[in-house]
Amino acid sequence: MISIKTKQLFDEYKIGEDVILTYQIQYPHFEGPVYQMALRILNRFYENQANEFQNYIANELYPQAKEQYAYSKENGYPVMAYEAMTTFEPTYSKACIVSLYMDRYEFTGGAHGSTTRSSQTWNLQGGRQIALEELFGCDLDVQSYILNRVRSRIALNPQIYFDNAAQLAEENFHSESFYCTTQGIVVYYQQYDIAPYSSGIRSFLIPYTHCVHSPKTTCFVLHPQDERHP
């Protein structure tokens, strides 16, 4: 019943005829006949994120791009335009739950750009984000449970990870770095956290069990006449 549309901000900066920076910021916009107050909270959250990134581009990346352009021109180097981009991927939308991740990409010269991932899982009945710990029962030590499965997965293909990836997985574990799918909870690590750039952002599926709960278990039953409110 909830539809997710794509909104975007985009532009380019030039010096003369030379493009020195381009950006495209995509972000979600939620619509639906229920959970109206919650959807406004979500839409404001993602719109604010997009505006903050746009301000960062204008106030930080653009001055850097101008300096790099001047240096390249002065020394006879090719002009390489800076790039900035965000994309998002919805991963779960059932009952009162919406989960997604967003990738933020920046290229400021060199061999390649960098991507940073963030994610949110929302309970629309409360207009709030769900914490990872809420999805675990059976008195589990959540971090230990997840890390055991991450280490098992690393051991299957150790060649694509750093030699000390098991240790790094613990040091770089962040409880907010997760999203939900229909199969389970996915935890992820940023580029260079546990593996080289060529291995990308590493993600690990934690399947739902009787102790690992689907996020829709955080929903409660509403009367039909109450569905327009979180």
Side-chain angles (χ1 to χ4, degrees):
M1 298 178 68
I2 303 301
S3 64
I4 306 175
K5 298 183 178 180
T6 300
K7 287 196 169 186
Q8 62 180 352
L9 305 170
F10 59 91
D11 205 349
E12 62 182 18
Y13 291 89
K14 288 184 175 182
I15 295 179
E17 295 299 315
D18 294 325
V19 176
I20 65 167
L21 187 155
T22 64
Y23 70 85
Q24 183 179 50
I25 303 169
Q26 296 183 347
Y27 62 98
H29 180 82
F30 300 85
E31 296 179 356
V34 295
Y35 308 126
Q36 296 290 301
M37 292 175 61
L39 295 185
R40 285 195 290 271
I41 291 172
L42 269 66
N43 288 336
R44 184 164 59 247
F45 177 89
Y46 291 109
E47 184 176 0
N48 287 343
Q49 274 197 341
N51 289 333
E52 288 173 5
F53 191 37
Q54 188 180 44
N55 289 335
Y56 163 77
I57 291 167
N59 297 322
E60 296 191 39
L61 281 190
Y62 176 48
Q64 293 176 27
K66 286 196 297 184
E67 289 184 12
Q68 184 61 46
Y69 174 81
Y71 179 83
S72 297
K73 283 292 191 180
E74 181 179 343
N75 292 277
Y77 297 144
V79 173
M80 299 183 68
Y82 279 30
E83 297 177 46
M85 179 186 305
T86 61
T87 59
F88 69 93
E89 183 67 33
T91 58
Y92 190 100
S93 182
K94 287 188 174 184
C96 74
I97 303 300
V98 170
S99 189
L100 59 84
Y101 67 80
M102 302 189 71
D103 285 345
R104 170 171 159 169
Y105 171 82
E106 294 181 40
F107 174 77
T108 57
H112 52 70
S114 62
T115 301
T116 303
R117 178 163 293 176
S118 61
S119 55
Q120 297 81 36
T121 298
W122 297 90
N123 181 317
L124 300 180
Q125 287 178 339
R128 66 178 183 86
Q129 291 189 47
I130 297 172
L132 180 63
E133 291 76 13
E134 294 181 66
L135 303 177
F136 287 79
C138 303
D139 294 324
L140 291 177
D141 180 327
V142 174
Q143 183 169 334
S144 295
Y145 183 89
I146 291 173
L147 287 174
N148 285 338
R149 279 144 189 81
V150 169
R151 294 186 186 108
S152 296
R153 287 280 303 280
I154 291 173
L156 294 176
N157 293 288
Q159 69 278 4
I160 66 174
Y161 297 94
F162 293 135
D163 290 342
N164 59 338
Q167 175 185 343
L168 292 172
E170 181 174 359
E171 293 175 358
N172 292 307
F173 177 82
H174 299 288
S175 61
E176 69 273 15
S177 296
F178 82 96
Y179 54 87
C180 294
T181 70
T182 56
Q183 291 79 36
I185 300 165
V186 175
V187 298
Y188 58 88
Y189 289 84
Q190 305 293 350
Q191 290 176 337
Y192 297 113
D193 272 357
I194 61 174
Y197 178 85
S198 58
S199 295
I201 295 173
R202 304 307 305 166
S203 59
F204 303 88
L205 177 68
I206 311 298
Y208 298 128
T209 67
H210 70 285
C211 293
V212 182
H213 304 148
S214 165
K216 66 182 180 181
T217 59
T218 65
C219 298
F220 55 87
V221 177
L222 289 175
H223 296 295
Q225 63 268 27
D226 294 331
E227 285 189 337
R228 293 186 177 275
H229 303 282

